[in-house]
Amino acid sequence: MSTKFNKNMSQKQSTKQRAARFKATRKQHRLETAEDYTELIADLIKQKGEARTCDIAKLKGVSHVTAIRAIRRVKELGYLNSEPRKPITLTKKGKKLAEFCKKRHELVVSLFIKLGVPQDIAEKDAEGAEHHISSKTLDAIEKYVKS
Amino acid sequence: MSTKFNKNMSQKQSTKQRAARFKATRKQHRLETAEDYTELIADLIKQKGEARTCDIAKLKGVSHVTAIRAIRRVKELGYLNSEPRKPITLTKKGKKLAEFCKKRHELVVSLFIKLGVPQDIAEKDAEGAEHHISSKTLDAIEKYVKS
DNA sequence: GTTGACATGTAGCCTAAGCTACATTAATCT
DNA sequence: AGATTAATGTAGCTTAGGCTACATGTCAAC
Ligand SMILES: [Mn+2]
Ligand SMILES: [Mn+2]
Ligand SMILES: [Mn+2]
Ligand SMILES: [Mn+2]
């Protein structure tokens, strides 16, 4: 039947769309470590003059071993330079990413605060949510926050 | 010096706070699979009358093997019942979770749409962001969306 | 009642992200 | 200088979540 055919097609279509959304979320998660670490390293450099592994680990709330290995992967992605027992620096690409992430983080926090969420909760929720905010959504948030 | 002492204390404090936020994000991620699968299973049961592994896998955009193992873990958490080669059902606890997740999902989508984000992008970003929205923030979103 | 297609299950692999325990290097203090 | 402390690194383990390849079960059509 034509009806059945159409129903099957549209169902298959919406299935694919929904799957695509989950795939997008998984992609965002794969970038999350790089984003959080570069943002954090930029903060440390600004505040302390240098970013050392142990401080990064403390700020991130993980063991120094976890930090070391994450830093290695972020380095392999080209966002930072690190040599044994030396403080970590950001590459140009890393600085760009850190700057973007900081701005995005602040916008998401501002959104939540403008909606009436207490500062500390806004900060907490933003830390996770920020990685799922696409550029279009970010633009929309910026308009709302600055209005 | 007292100055130095105070500075160190407040620095240590804010370090702990920031680490706590990252820890909260990791905790939210550990719940994410259970949330998405139960929501999805509830949808399938509503739309098709039953939730079968292969349909869950297709909707989630993963291989059926990945789905099988995720379903096992969600079952171990007490959200669903599954027996070999039978369709999956939700426990009372699972139905509660699915209902909550559906509502939260819709509210986050509505928020983005109200901010001017196109529907498809709103859906995509919400799929990831929803898991990082605490109850306080959800309340704030609900107020804004329904105003 | 065979056959073929689709669903389900198992085996075995990978990577990311977490951990503890131990080893080594660097810095600080007496 | 020597000892203590802190930082960094290594080894080795776990779990979650992804995959392919292969095996088995179910069901409908012929
Ligand atoms: Mn973050
Ligand atoms: Mn997330
Ligand atoms: Mn989701
Ligand atoms: Mn959802």
Side-chain angles (χ1 to χ4, degrees):
Chain A
M1 300 296 123
S2 155
T3 310
K4 196 180 173 189
F5 180 78
N6 285 332
K7 196 179 175 190
N8 284 344
M9 287 306 283
S10 68
Q11 218 164 270
K12 203 173 276 184
Q13 175 59 10
S14 74
T15 296
K16 271 188 192 161
Q17 276 174 209
R18 191 153 180 192
R21 283 179 224 137
F22 285 115
K23 282 180 185 171
T25 298
R26 293 196 289 270
K27 195 174 184 181
Q28 287 158 352
H29 281 154
R30 283 196 298 274
L31 260 180
E32 180 156 347
T33 301
E35 292 181 342
D36 282 337
Y37 275 85
T38 53
E39 195 185 346
L40 209 132
I41 289 163
D43 280 358
L44 277 170
I45 291 172
K46 192 173 183 187
Q47 284 164 30
K48 295 198 163 190
E50 62 177 23
R52 279 172 0 213
T53 303
C54 66
D55 291 326
I56 294 168
K58 272 173 208 138
L59 271 179
K60 195 86 201 314
V62 296
S63 74
H64 75 281
V65 184
T66 298
I68 284 172
R69 297 206 315 178
I71 288 163
R72 193 185 309 151
R73 280 190 295 272
V74 178
K75 180 186 183 179
E76 271 153 23
L77 292 173
Y79 295 112
L80 57 84
N81 308 117
S82 79
E83 286 170 87
R85 297 178 190 270
K86 281 194 184 168
I88 287 143
T89 59
L90 293 176
T91 61
K92 189 162 287 185
K93 191 179 162 191
K95 283 176 195 165
K96 268 249 155 65
L97 182 64
E99 196 182 348
F100 167 72
C101 290
K102 184 185 171 71
K103 187 191 167 187
R104 188 186 58 186
H105 184 101
E106 282 166 1
L107 280 172
V108 176
V109 170
S110 300
L111 165 65
F112 290 157
I113 286 176
K114 189 159 180 178
L115 292 176
V117 180
Q119 171 98 25
D120 53 330
I121 295 177
E123 290 279 358
K124 192 187 67 179
D125 290 5
E127 194 56 75
E130 56 184 2
H131 308 279
H132 305 287
I133 302 299
S134 65
S135 59
K136 294 252 182 193
T137 303
L138 195 62
D139 289 348
I141 290 172
E142 188 165 19
K143 257 176 220 149
Y144 173 68
V145 164
K146 294 185 176 168
S147 71
Chain B
M1 296 298 121
S2 154
T3 310
K4 196 181 173 188
F5 179 77
N6 285 332
K7 196 179 174 189
N8 284 345
M9 287 305 285
S10 68
Q11 218 165 271
K12 203 172 276 181
Q13 176 58 9
S14 73
T15 296
K16 270 187 193 162
Q17 276 174 209
R18 191 154 182 191
R21 282 180 225 136
F22 286 115
K23 281 179 186 173
T25 298
R26 293 195 289 270
K27 194 175 184 180
Q28 289 158 352
H29 281 155
R30 283 195 298 273
L31 262 179
E32 180 154 350
T33 301
E35 292 181 342
D36 282 337
Y37 275 86
T38 53
E39 195 186 345
L40 210 133
I41 288 164
D43 280 358
L44 277 170
I45 290 172
K46 193 173 182 185
Q47 283 164 33
K48 296 197 163 191
E50 61 178 22
R52 278 173 0 214
T53 304
C54 66
D55 292 326
I56 295 168
K58 272 172 208 138
L59 271 180
K60 195 86 201 314
V62 296
S63 74
H64 75 281
V65 184
T66 298
I68 284 172
R69 298 207 313 177
I71 288 163
R72 193 184 310 153
R73 280 189 294 272
V74 178
K75 180 187 182 180
E76 271 153 22
L77 291 172
Y79 294 112
L80 57 84
N81 307 117
S82 80
E83 286 168 87
R85 299 182 187 266
K86 281 196 183 167
I88 286 142
T89 59
L90 293 177
T91 61
K92 190 160 285 186
K93 191 179 163 192
K95 283 176 195 165
K96 268 250 155 65
L97 181 64
E99 195 181 350
F100 168 73
C101 289
K102 184 184 171 70
K103 187 191 168 186
R104 187 185 59 186
H105 184 102
E106 282 166 1
L107 280 172
V108 176
V109 171
S110 299
L111 166 65
F112 291 157
I113 287 177
K114 188 159 181 177
L115 292 175
V117 180
Q119 170 99 28
D120 53 330
I121 295 177
E123 289 280 358
K124 194 186 67 179
D125 290 5
E127 195 54 76
E130 56 184 2
H131 308 279
H132 305 288
I133 302 300
S134 65
S135 59
K136 294 250 181 194
T137 303
L138 195 62
D139 289 347
I141 290 172
E142 188 165 18
K143 257 176 220 152
Y144 173 68
V145 164
K146 294 184 176 168
S147 71

